[in-house]
Every structure is written in structure tokens, then in C-alpha cells.
Amino acid sequence: MSAPRQGSTTLLGAEGARELIAFLTAPAPSRTAVIERAVQEGGPVHRLRLRHPQAAPAAGAQETEATETEAKEPAAPARPTEPHLLDRHVLRLAPAPRPARAEGPPPLFPPGTAVLTNLDASQLPGDSTVLQDDEAIEAEVLRARPRHVRVLVDLSCEDKDTGPSERLLRLHDSLFRTAKACTELPERPESFVVLVLGGIDAARVPHPCSGLFTGFAKSLALEWPDSSVVAVVHEAADLASAEADTAAEAVAEQLLPVVSFAGGTRLLWQAAPEPGESRPQQSSTAEHTVVAAGGGRGIGAELLIALARRERPRLHVIGSTRLDTVTEADVLLTRKDFIRTRTTATGSGRLTVREANAAFDRLSAAREVKANLTALEEICGAGRVTYHACDLRDRAAVDAVVGQITDAQGGNRVDLLLNIAGTNRAASVDQKSLGDFRTVRDLKVRTYANLKAAFGSGQPSRWCNFGSFVGFTGQTGETDYGAANDYFNTAALYSSSRGAREFTIGWTLWRDVGLGATPIMRTFLAKSAQFTAMPTAEGIDHFLHELDQAEHTPVTVLFGDPERAAIEAAVPGYLDFCRTTPEPRVPAPAHALPDFFVDDIVDRGPDRLTVVRTFNQDRDAYLHEHVVNGFPTLPGTFVPELAAQAAMHLVPGRVPVVFEDIRLDSFLRVYKQGRDETKRIKAHLVSHGPQESVVDIEVTGDVLAPGGRLLVKDRRHFSARVRLRDEHVAPPRWDHWDDQGAERMADPYHVPNPAVLLSGVFVSTADTRTHPNGRRARYVPDRPGIERWFSSLVVPSVLLDGLARVSVLDRSEGDWTPLAVPRTIRRIDLYGGHTDASLAAAGTGVELYSLPSRLDLESEEDNRALAVTAAGDVVLQIKDMTGVVLGHVNQSTGEYRERRRPAEEAAA
């Protein structure tokens, strides 16, 4: 945390942080003296055992360097018996007022400014010193002695899906080298400003690589409390458009040293307390495959064992530890015996004491990994745990390992990837080497990019990054670790905006494993009392809770009362900002709410709403073009529209983005001319938070006898759950199929038949065909019909209807194609705010896809259908639809055959 010119410091306090850094990097005798002094001053008494001297990881780190650990089988994870010490917080960008100023901001490039950039030099002021991104950069800084440093990062040319380019990583190296050189100046710069151009889009989704620079700035701001250090992430791709905003932030009092600008709005990161909403666990006989990048030891191993006990998955663990170094004789050796044996050996096998110490560390790591793998296999079953030794920073090596895993999967996707690997070498910028900086950053950043590239189009169904509290707050000595973990944050936000189920968990210290478990650190942190030491059982509970979320929040961070107190002391007012509810970005006025299916509101409360809508054959003449069993019938795919309109009246200012658990229990029909059918649409607010509102919808109607006598009160037609947010979700990408192997088919719903006959505005598909991957078609909206009937709908309901029908294209018993009606839909996602009217008016080409290739809608097997623009943006997606087959149409003759009743099928 940093507030320039207020002396705000690290969470440990400036003196405490310096003491911690010095302590972690000191030789063993010095650290012993620190512990002895702490004990004498009243700290907890432990029986201390010094480990191999090396820098220890910060909060949440998963060590790859070895420590001396006795190999033992982990005990079964226990559920916490005490209340949680840490609370779950959701990280999000929220509007924040611009700081008031009595006068205009100074120039962004005042006299004495040095500039580091990947921009074209022609965009820079002529009187600034431009630092060259090469080996002479330190000398240039020392020669220029800048009073101000400006780092201008252009991300507009960086591919968002492939990870940072080598050119960008070199710029990141130069950022560190520039800051390190500044520590050698007589006085540090008055200001150090990082401007990230093209770092966020209009939908407030950060560029994934922006976290590399914001995470660095957060930690540097804590190390340099007397300098104005800030990172500005701007939507603009040119310097001129971002210059005024950046200049103002360079001299502003900050809550956080990271500010974003998107859509003309100033945004700050909030850490909002949200417990999350878990889905119930369901037993499944399906094969479940988990890949863990790291996790053979430490925190990762604890969580893998807990996951194994619960789910018994097929498990692949990828790690850098070589297991072929462990022999039966070595397992029995203590460090003392091992060092004596190796240092007294003859010939090439003889080692120095330092070499023998390092060799024993590797041996200890290998036997610990072996013990954990044995425990995992005992839980999951013989042959169900595979270990892959691999340098995760090596693209070719990762490609090979992932190829082995996907081959073993037989074409099926990995269900869950746990991205755990990481290391730490804590040291302030003036003491940290470039080699250590790269090592810490690259193990996380390159591993992530390599895994993404290796899985290619077959990305895991879910992706969990192990991040850190440090990625959120920064920490003195952690410019590399903070950058890598904030990269995890922004990468998860970007991936989730594209439809991926990716999320990052920001861990803090664990009490019983990892850094927090060492006697040295337990003593030190007990004395400082500024970090929560989390019990293992609680950590496991947090992990499983995050896995069980019905919808994964892209970035969460865990912290408790000690961290809150430290934050409040360092940045007064920041926690109050985190507790505020952001206003909707563009609140919709009441008169703009959709009302096509809303005649009147007959009941309203803070968390409920009931509207009525009367249907008849004159008012709803479009139903004559959608006939089921001879009666005008509302398409089941219009249920999301009914649900959306009621939900938007209950929660004005938000838009529907997801529909879940749609159930179509009975047809909504208009039986006779002149006979009204009045239905009630009931909305109930399940939850309302800063990120989204959740509303349950039920559509009911009374069943009347011909004379008007009430037979059934409130018979349910439909139900659904709606998730509303402030903005539409940015579309994920989809690679269009080629047409190789495709086979043309007639749409059976357009052939005259007594079951389901569509005409007019509902003839919305063309080029219907089967495909080796599934089924596909082209959306052809009837623009005049849509403008006449459906111009005010907020859901592309005609498109949805056509997409659902594509899923039925199939042949059975020769040329017979089923006619089916939907019964349930697990989930529908909307992207980009498209409607039937907007697509038709713009002439947007849309392709329709359904998969898998063999699909039985009457079963509950997984399936999906997507509508995709020609440019590859997904408009909407249906997941896991079931239906009921009413009959079949012959592709060659057009003959209709009613589905035989169960008794008839049994007789046959």
C-alpha cells in the first residue's frame, strides 16, 4: 500500500519490512542471533532447527527450492473446527472520484525526466533522456541522474492470448534495472510513473500483461515511500490521449499506487468481502482428470491430497524435481551423514561441503515428492497418479508433457488445471540481482504462457492459478513476486471475460506448511503480529470452497483482521472504499425498461416482483408462425426474454448476462381466437452484490374449465434463474469449422407436419447440415418480421430458437430426423449485448454450431451450442439442453411419423 508523501509503508511497517528482508537474506549465524533476541524479548519459544540458508518465499509462495523436510505420509485433511481466520475478498475495478486539485496538473515530463519505453521515440518530448533498452541502461541512469522517471508501456501490439512477448519481458527487465540503478543515485527520483497504454478495454477488462507492470509498481511504492510511485493503466493506445490523466495521477494522493482509466472513468481496485455461493457437490462416475503444475511438495501437496480424498481423480503432477536421484541407501541418510560421505568420497564423486549441502537439498526434495506421490496413489488408485519431471519454463518440454497427458486423455479435455509452481527470493531492489528477479518472475509467468500454448484449442475445463496476497497489495522486497502474481490476476480477468472458467486465488501465509511453518518464521511473525497464520485445515476449506463455486470469480484474495489493521494503518480510508457498492455504469431509467412481456406490476417488494402478461391470438399473432400440436405456442426459447424483462424491472440498471436452470414444464398456448391467456411472471431477488444480482423467475397461469371454472391455480409453465450485471460480457472467441465432411440436411421444422411447424419470422436458419464435429447452420433473420414484433426484446430470442433447433439435426433409422421440443437448459450465456433487431439491422453474419457429434437430447449428457459472428466472436451459448422427441420427418419424402408410445415400442 502506498500514499505518496504520507509515509505509508509496507504491511509490516517500514522498519519491520527492512528487518524481515535483512533477516531472510542473512547468513545462518546472524539469523540465529535474531531468533535468540526475539525469544529473550518475549517471543514464543520453539525448538529451532536452522535450514539451508536461502531467501524464503513471501505470503502464498510455493517453494521450488528444497528445504530439509522429513518425508512422511500426510494425514487426512480435517475440516476446520474453529471459525475461519481469513475472509474471502473479490478483486474488482470500481469507479473512484478524481482527486481534487486547486490548479492544473504539472507536465507529465518535467525537466530532469528519463523515459524508458517501447513506443516510437517520435512520440516523446525532445528534452527528455530516453533510456535505451540495452545493457548500458544502468550507466545511462547514473549519468542522467533523473529527478523523474517515466516508463511508457505500449501493449496494443501484444497478443493477449499467448503471454508476454520476449520484447515485453526485456522491457520488464529494463524496468527493474532502471529502478535498481536509481537506488545508486545520491537521491532517489521524486516520481516514478509507469503508464500502460492499451492496458484495459472499454468493458474494464485489463490486458493480461498489464499485471506485470502494476504488480511491480505496488511493491516499488512500498520500498520508496518518499517517492511518488504510481502505475496508470489506460484504455488509450496513444500517449497524447493518456497524458493528462497520467500527469494528474503522478502528483495525486493515492489509496493504491495503481489507477485505471476506461470509458472515461477513473477506476481503482476494490477488495470486496464476498463469501461466495457454492454449488452442491454431485456424485459422478465420469472420469475426472486433474493436472497440477507444481504441487509435489508444500502447500500444493496438501491441497492435492485433500482433493484426491474427495474426488479420486486421475492425477498428473508436473514438477522440476528429478526423482531418479533417490536411492534406497540415500533415503536413510541424515544431512550430516550425507555430507560426510560425499565430502570424503574419492574421484569425481567427491563434493565440497557447499555442493554436498545442495545435493542433499535436492535429495530431500525428491524423497518428499516421492512420499507425496505414494500417498496420492494410495488414495486415487494404482496407476492413476503420474509424475512428469519437467522444467515448466521450457516451452518445448511443456509441449511434450502436455502432449503425453492429452494423448492419455484420448481427446477428452482435462477437467482441472492447478497452476501452483512458484519460487521466491525476497530482497529489496537495491539488493536483488537481475538473475533472481528473472527467476522469480519467469517461473510463474513463463509457466502460465507455456501451459496455455501447449493446451492450445483444448484448454482445461477449469484453470486455477495459485496467486498471493502480495499480488494485490505489493510487498517490500517483492517487485518480482508481486509482478508475477498480479499477472495471474489480470490474466484470469481477461480469460474469464472470454468465457474461460479461470480464476486466481490470492493466498496468504499458511501456519503449518510452507514459509509460515518454519520455526524461524513462526517466531518472527508472532512478534510482528501483522500476518494471519492460516491453519492447514482452513486453507483446504478455502481451496475446496473456491472449486465448488457455481460461477468462478476471476480473482479472490484471502486476508483477516491483522491484514485489515495493517492496511488501515498504511492507507486510511481504503477499506471504506472497498466496502462501497459501485453504481451501475449506465443506470437505465425506468421508462427504458423492456415491457413487451410486462402489462402491469401487481406486486412489488424490496426483493420480489410480480408482473402479468395477457396473451391472445390477435395481439400475439406471431404465435401463428410457431405451432405445436396444432396450437399457437410460445417458443420455449423465449423464456429467457420473459425472465429478463421481469428481472430488469426488479433490478433496474443492470442487464442479463446468464440464464441458469431453465425448466419448461408445460406449453404456453393460446387455444382459441378471442380467448385470453393471462400469465403471472414472479421474480424473487436471491442476492444483490456489487458484481451481480441473481433473480429467480417463475411463470405460472390458472387452468380454467371451458365455462371459466378454476381447475388449477398457478400451474407452472416455466422457471429460470437470471444473473444480471452492470455491463454486457465481452465475447469469447471461437474458431470456425471448415466444411470438410459436412452433409446437407433439410430443417424438419420447416416441413409440413402436425407436431411442430414453423413459418414466417421463425424460419431463421439456412444451410443446415451435419458435420463430423456436430451440426451447423447459418442464421438468416427475417428483418421485417423482427422489426414488427421483436424490436424491443433484450435477448436474441429468434436466434436462440434457431440455435436450439440445430442441435436436433440428425438421422435415425435411415432418413428419419427427429422433431423435439426443449425441456431443460442448464445454462445460457449472452455476450456483447446483441439482439435479434441489432443483428438484423447490422447485417451481421452469424454461424450456428452444436456439438458433440452424437447427441441424445433425451439424456442428460453434456452438450453445447454456439452462435458465432463471422469475426469469431460468440454471441450466445447454450449448455446442456435436454428435450422430448415428438415425432420424426423423413428427409427424402417429407413424410411425418409420430413417435410410438412406450407400449407400442414394447410390443414391437
Side-chain angles (χ1 to χ4, degrees), residues 217-270:
K218 292 173 190 176
S219 291
L220 187 67
L222 296 173
E223 290 191 27
W224 294 4
D226 296 326
S227 298
S228 175
V229 179
V230 65
V232 176
V233 181
H234 213 287
E235 180 186 359
D238 63 292
L239 176 60
S241 299
E243 188 167 348
D245 289 332
T246 308
E249 297 301 333
V251 295
E253 300 290 345
Q254 302 290 350
L255 287 178
L256 278 181
V258 174
V259 184
S260 299
F261 289 88
T265 303
R266 181 178 188 263
L267 305 164
L268 293 182
W269 287 103
Q270 280 187 334

Side-chain angles (χ1 to χ4, degrees), residues 5 89 98 121 132 181 199 204 213 216 356 409 423 427 511 578 585 600 610-611 614 625 680 690 734 752 871 903:
R5 290 171 302 284
H89 298 76
R98 296 175 186 252
Q132 300 301 314
R204 302 178 183 173
F213 298 91
F216 182 98
Q409 286 291 99
T423 190
R511 185 188 67 194
C578 289
R585 187 174 180 185
D600 193 16
T610 301
V611 305
T614 298
E625 298 171 359
R680 286 176 285 276
W734 174 267

Side-chain angles (χ1 to χ4, degrees), residues 62 64 292-295 318 392 418-423 443-444 447 466 488:
Q62 172 66 28
T64 56
I318 310 174
L392 286 159
L418 300 174
N419 187 15
I420 303 173
T423 190
L443 185 55
K444 282 183 176 286
T447 293
F466 277 38
F488 275 3

Side-chain angles (χ1 to χ4, degrees), residues 302-608:
E302 293 286 347
L303 296 179
L304 285 181
I305 287 172
L307 185 63
R309 292 188 185 280
R310 191 178 76 164
E311 299 185 8
R312 305 294 195 274
R314 177 74 176 87
L315 183 59
H316 294 268
V317 181
I318 310 174
S320 60
T321 302
R322 296 280 304 260
L323 301 187
D324 54 8
T325 60
V326 182
T327 66
E328 290 186 10
D330 286 338
V331 169
L332 302 176
L333 292 176
T334 63
R335 180 182 292 271
K336 180 179 178 181
D337 292 338
F338 182 89
I339 292 173
R340 184 179 65 250
T341 301
R342 293 298 189 269
T343 54
T344 57
T346 58
S348 59
R350 186 170 182 171
L351 304 175
T352 66
V353 173
R354 181 176 181 180
E355 291 170 338
N357 252 314
F360 187 81
D361 289 337
R362 293 190 293 272
L363 171 65
S364 297
R367 65 190 188 187
E368 182 182 354
V369 171
K370 263 195 159 183
N372 287 331
L373 293 172
T374 299
L376 286 167
E377 190 167 52
E378 288 176 356
I379 298 167
C380 296
R384 293 180 60 79
V385 178
T386 305
Y387 182 76
H388 307 267
C390 169
D391 183 351
L392 286 159
R393 298 166 297 182
D394 184 326
R395 173 68 61 92
V398 174
D399 283 346
V401 168
V402 171
Q404 295 169 16
I405 294 171
T406 53
D407 287 345
Q409 286 291 99
N412 295 321
R413 290 178 185 264
V414 167
D415 297 285
L416 172 64
L417 185 135
L418 300 174
N419 187 15
I420 303 173
T423 190
N424 181 277
R425 296 178 182 179
S428 55
V429 167
D430 58 330
Q431 297 296 319
K432 191 185 294 286
S433 71
L434 177 61
D436 283 349
F437 179 84
R438 287 172 172 166
T439 295
V440 173
R441 178 198 65 196
D442 286 358
L443 185 55
K444 282 183 176 286
V445 174
R446 291 188 185 274
T447 293
Y448 179 92
N450 290 346
L451 289 168
K452 285 284 183 181
F455 279 104
S457 60
Q459 293 291 308
S461 299
R462 292 188 295 163
W463 183 299
C464 173
N465 299 305
F466 277 38
S468 170
F469 180 74
V470 171
F472 159 49
T473 61
Q475 182 65 61
T476 295
E478 306 288 4
T479 48
D480 42 15
Y481 194 69
N485 282 286
D486 211 15
Y487 173 76
F488 275 3
N489 294 341
T490 51
L493 284 160
Y494 169 75
S495 294
S496 62
S497 77
R498 309 296 286 178
R501 301 178 69 192
E502 180 174 330
F503 54 101
T504 296
I505 304 173
W507 296 106
T508 186
L509 284 168
W510 292 54
R511 185 188 67 194
D512 308 315
V513 65
L515 169 65
T518 64
I520 292 174
M521 190 52 65
R522 280 192 177 186
T523 300
F524 188 91
L525 293 176
K527 184 185 174 189
S528 72
Q530 294 194 21
F531 276 113
T532 303
M534 178 178 63
T536 300
E538 180 178 335
I540 290 170
D541 204 44
H542 285 301
F543 172 64
L544 297 179
H545 177 70
E546 210 61 48
L547 290 187
D548 293 343
Q549 292 298 297
E551 288 300 316
H552 293 298
T553 300
V555 185
T556 57
V557 64
L558 300 166
F559 58 89
D561 289 339
E563 290 84 359
R564 273 187 285 272
I567 291 171
E568 184 60 29
V571 194
Y574 177 70
L575 292 178
D576 290 336
F577 173 74
C578 289
R579 285 188 284 265
T580 62
T581 301
E583 293 297 323
R585 187 174 180 185
V586 183
H591 67 270
L593 292 172
D595 59 3
F596 185 79
F597 288 116
V598 177
D599 286 346
D600 193 16
I601 298 174
V602 296
D603 178 59
R604 181 191 287 274
D607 61 352
R608 72 181 190 279

